Amino acid sequence: MQFHGAGSSAYFQWETSQVCSGAFGWQYIRTQMWRSSWSGPRGYTPWHQTPTKTSSYIDYGWSADCDDGGGTYTYYPVMVGVASFGSSPTTRSDNDLRKNCGTYRP
């Protein structure tokens, strides 16, 4: 994950990928930016999803605006891989950033 810009033009950027093997049918990736809070982690953005694919490999780039100000939190992306025969657990990135982005305002 990377952080770009400053002020109202600041944003997070990250990439997720998934490889399926064997009989999996179709697959897609769901991702969301999370942030720390006093009551535990919470979603900073809505969940976003790739198109459904029948290929065995998905690699997808994402971004989310930083709503500048309103509090400093630790931000990190999470991902869930889904296939027609199941899904993976929610996986947290081990790359997190402490930024003053406040709470998400769509």
Side-chain angles (χ1 to χ4, degrees), residues 27-85:
Q27 67 166 324
Y28 62 85
I29 295 172
R30 296 185 73 209
T31 191
Q32 184 180 43
M33 180 64 71
W34 284 13
R35 72 168 176 86
S36 62
S37 78
W38 64 270
S39 60
R42 63 182 57 220
Y44 180 66
T45 64
W47 284 96
H48 299 284
Q49 180 175 309
T50 65
T52 300
K53 298 191 176 240
T54 56
S55 59
S56 62
Y57 180 70
I58 296 178
D59 185 38
Y60 210 78
W62 310 89
S63 65
D65 290 338
C66 166
D67 285 333
D68 190 37
T72 300
Y73 300 93
T74 301
Y75 296 86
Y76 51 90
V78 298
M79 177 198 135
V80 176
V82 179
S84 55
F85 301 129

Side-chain angles (χ1 to χ4, degrees), residues 20-26 83-86:
C20 287
S21 61
F24 64 88
W26 47 259
S84 55
F85 301 129

Side-chain angles (χ1 to χ4, degrees), residues 1 12 34 74-77 92-98:
M1 175 177 63
F12 297 99
W34 284 13
T74 301
Y75 296 86
Y76 51 90
R92 175 191 166 155
S93 169
D94 60 0
N95 179 9
D96 54 38
L97 297 171
R98 188 132 177 98

